[in-house]
């Protein structure tokens, strides 16, 4: 059988296997991948997904297997960021003609956006009971981590649990190919995950100055098993990943409760539900070797496993089933992937462009979301075509409401 991926040898390193046929790849992203491929801890090869693009520290859309070591910057600072989607018993006909009140109800139910300070609208001023109940599941391990790293206690951990954030994080109401209503959202471990990621990336860089003289890129500094911070990092990143998954669950519950105040018809949710990370690291076995597999902007796609590949504010999203492709380390893309930076997007597009691209979607249409306009992203259809050997499409979703931070 002919493979769909592009194989590229890297002098002094492991090869790259890239599922990028028909989609653009920046030279800067390729250089980042080649640098990572030259690390002595990387096993077998690096897999690049079709949404691959240049990232801070390491390439977004990369799957990196490492032996007895982890690269904190490859996991990044949005630890455990991912997606959750729930199918309901509602159909398109059950939604109100005016979707503005539905969007407003969800916006009231879930803090979103970012404005640092005592009245940050993206954080709880006083967390509701459901958030405190969820936090109780995370608190014992958090207390342990704070003993070693006291500054963790000063992050907005409880205040950010059940909140959306900003940037490319979103909440959507979608319709699938049969007209069924889905709720979908994208977020991660919020401020506490950012703190953990930033702290350990810096500690890894300090370690590298002493022990890793030939790093191709200082951002690729890594902790090896048995080193001073390795165990603390594994514990911290594992906890942040739990926070992220729970954050999505708390938000989803609040979104559905808010929807029930606007939609007159009684309905059930979670008829089908998926909750998956796309920025994380965990122990897995591939090609007979136990590795730490880091998916930075990639989703697990084991045989039969459901995942979510979102488009942009005006594009389709996909619920997919993994094919368990060994060469991709059983992974697929985590979205469409950016084709331009946020600054470039704000310079390139007008509000009229954005309004046209999001026609029919109840969403923000102001200048502060121009960096998230659909044309700032790769064509999701091309991205899906490039990974036909990685996943099958189960449902195709199109948003009718989109909430951005």
């Amino acid at each position: 059988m002919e493979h769909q991926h592009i194989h590229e040898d890297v002098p002094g390193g492991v090869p790259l296997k890239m599922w990028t046929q028909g989609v653009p790849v920046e030279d800067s992203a390729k250089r980042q991948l080649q640098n990572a491929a030259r690390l002595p801890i990387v096993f077998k090869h690096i897999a690049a997904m079709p949404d691959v693009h240049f990232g801070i520290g390491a390439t977004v859309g990369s799957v990196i297997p490492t032996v007895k070591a982890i690269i904190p910057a490859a996991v990044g600072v949005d630890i455990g960021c991912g997606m959750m989607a729930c199918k309901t018993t509602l159909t398109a006909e059950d939604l109100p003609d005016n979707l503005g009140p539905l969007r407003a109800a969800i916006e009231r139910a879930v803090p979103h956006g970012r404005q640092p300070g005592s009245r940050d609208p993206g954080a709880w001023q006083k967390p509701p009971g459901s958030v405190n109940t969820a936090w109780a599941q995370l608190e014992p391990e958090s207390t342990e981590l704070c003993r070693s790293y006291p500054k963790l206690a000063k992050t907005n951990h409880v205040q950010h649990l059940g909140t959306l954030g900003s940037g490319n994080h979103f909440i959507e109401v979608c319709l699938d190919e049969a007209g069924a209503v889905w709720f979908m959202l994208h977020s991660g471990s919020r401020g506490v995950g950012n703190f953990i990621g930033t702290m350990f990336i810096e500690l890894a860089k300090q370690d590298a100055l002493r022990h890793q003289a030939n790093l191709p890129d200082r951002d690729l500094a890594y902790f090896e098993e048995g080193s001073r911070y390795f165990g603390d990092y594994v514990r911290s990143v594992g906890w942040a990943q739990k926070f992220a998954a729970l954050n999505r669950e708390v938000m989803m519950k609040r979104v559905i409760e808010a929807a029930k105040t606007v939609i007159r018809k009684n309905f059930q949710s979670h008829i089908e539900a998926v909750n998956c990370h796309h920025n994380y690291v965990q122990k897995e076995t591939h090609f007979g070797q136990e590795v730490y597999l880091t998916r930075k902007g990639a989703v697990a796609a084991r045989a039969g496993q459901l995942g979510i590949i979102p488009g942009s504010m005006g594009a389709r999203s996909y619920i997919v089933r993994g094919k368990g492709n060994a060469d991709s380390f059983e992974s697929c893309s985590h979205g469409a992937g950016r084709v331009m930076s946020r600054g470039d997007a704000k310079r390139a597009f007008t509000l009229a462009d954005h309004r046209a691209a999001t026609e029919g979607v109840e969403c923000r249409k102001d200048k502060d979301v121009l960096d998230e306009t659909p044309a700032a992203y790769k064509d999701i259809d091309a991205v899906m075509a490039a990974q036909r050997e990685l996943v099958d499409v189960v449902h195709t979703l199109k948003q009718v409401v989109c909430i951005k931070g």
Side-chain angles (χ1 to χ4, degrees):
M1 176 184 154
E2 188 180 336
H3 287 298
Q4 196 186 359
H5 63 260
I6 299 162
H7 180 105
E8 184 176 303
D9 288 318
V10 176
V14 299
L16 304 179
K17 294 192 178 186
M18 306 178 66
W19 281 261
T20 55
Q21 289 182 9
V23 290
V25 181
E26 319 133 287
D27 290 340
S28 54
K30 183 77 77 68
R31 282 194 297 274
Q32 274 191 325
L33 290 168
Q34 290 165 342
N35 282 338
R38 293 188 178 100
L39 294 176
I41 57 170
V42 176
F43 169 72
K44 194 77 174 170
H45 62 266
I46 286 176
M49 301 296 103
D51 58 342
V52 66
H53 59 278
F54 180 83
I56 297 167
T59 328
V60 180
S62 61
V63 184
I64 305 176
T66 49
V67 178
K68 296 184 177 178
I70 299 176
I71 310 160
V75 181
V77 298
D78 201 353
I79 300 167
C81 188
M83 299 288 306
M84 186 170 183
C86 288
K87 184 180 180 181
T88 73
T89 53
L90 294 169
T91 63
E93 293 72 34
D94 300 321
L95 293 176
D97 291 337
N98 177 6
L99 293 169
L102 177 57
R103 175 185 158 202
I106 295 170
E107 287 177 339
R108 285 192 299 272
V110 180
H112 55 284
R114 183 170 180 271
Q115 186 181 315
S118 58
R119 300 298 297 175
D120 181 0
W124 296 110
Q125 304 309 314
K126 185 181 178 191
S130 59
V131 169
N132 289 324
T133 300
W135 174 248
Q137 300 175 47
L138 298 165
E139 190 171 25
E141 209 171 343
S142 169
T143 303
E144 282 294 309
L145 293 171
C146 289
R147 286 198 182 102
S148 302
Y149 300 94
K151 287 183 180 175
L152 262 177
K154 296 181 173 66
T155 61
N156 279 334
H157 39 44
V158 189
Q159 286 76 17
H160 276 173
L161 187 59
T163 72
L164 184 65
S166 58
N168 62 355
H169 295 157
F170 63 79
I171 300 169
E172 288 183 344
V173 184
C174 304
L175 302 176
D176 71 13
E177 66 289 339
V181 174
W182 292 65
F183 294 102
M184 183 166 75
L185 54 83
H186 171 209
S187 192
S189 53
R190 304 289 281 110
V192 67
N194 186 299
F195 181 89
I196 287 168
T198 302
M199 175 175 68
F200 281 104
I201 288 168
E202 190 51 43
L203 288 170
K205 286 180 179 178
Q206 291 170 17
D207 256 16
L209 290 175
R210 293 188 289 273
H211 307 299
Q212 297 158 23
N214 298 317
L215 272 181
D217 179 345
R218 194 165 167 245
D219 279 331
L220 295 174
Y222 53 86
F223 295 129
E224 293 186 83
E225 279 185 356
S227 64
R228 179 179 173 189
Y229 296 111
F230 181 87
D232 286 353
Y233 180 68
V234 169
R235 280 203 311 280
S236 300
V237 86
W239 179 84
Q241 287 166 192
K242 286 179 200 163
F243 183 107
L246 193 56
N247 183 37
R248 292 190 288 272
E249 287 177 15
V250 172
M251 273 192 287
M252 183 61 77
K253 189 175 178 198
R254 294 187 65 81
V255 166
I256 289 162
E257 286 170 353
K260 286 182 175 178
T261 67
V262 177
I263 298 168
R264 290 193 178 91
K265 182 176 179 178
N266 284 332
F267 68 91
Q268 271 79 51
S269 60
H270 293 63
I271 302 304
E272 292 179 39
V274 190
N275 189 351
C276 58
H277 296 319
H278 55 222
N279 279 356
Y280 68 114
V281 61
Q282 66 182 17
K283 259 189 184 177
E284 297 184 13
T285 299
H286 293 275
F287 299 101
Q289 172 72 49
E290 187 178 73
V291 296
Y292 289 99
L293 195 73
T294 300
R295 293 183 176 95
K296 185 184 176 85
V299 177
R302 298 174 192 88
Q305 182 175 14
L306 292 177
I308 307 169
I309 302 177
S312 59
M313 284 177 81
R316 289 181 290 279
S317 298
Y318 297 90
I319 306 295
V320 297
R321 182 176 287 114
K323 291 186 172 182
N325 185 288
D327 285 328
S328 74
F329 301 105
E330 301 180 315
S331 306
C332 66
S333 89
H334 82 311
R338 298 191 72 89
V339 286
M340 59 178 71
S341 71
R342 295 185 180 279
D344 286 346
K346 286 190 170 181
R347 288 185 287 272
F349 302 113
T350 64
L351 277 178
D353 295 330
H354 178 64
R355 287 180 184 129
T358 58
E359 190 176 355
V361 181
E362 173 60 47
C363 65
R364 285 176 62 185
K365 317 240 182 199
D366 58 84
K367 63 180 175 57
D368 288 338
V369 292
L370 273 180
D371 56 340
E372 282 293 307
T373 201
Y377 285 83
K378 296 180 187 183
D379 177 356
I380 189 68
D381 293 330
V383 165
M384 295 306 294
Q387 56 186 333
R388 289 188 307 273
E389 66 181 19
L390 306 184
V391 292
D392 287 319
V393 173
V394 181
H395 294 292
T396 302
L397 308 184
K398 181 68 178 76
Q399 71 278 78
V400 291
V401 177
C402 177
I403 288 122
K404 282 276 183 185

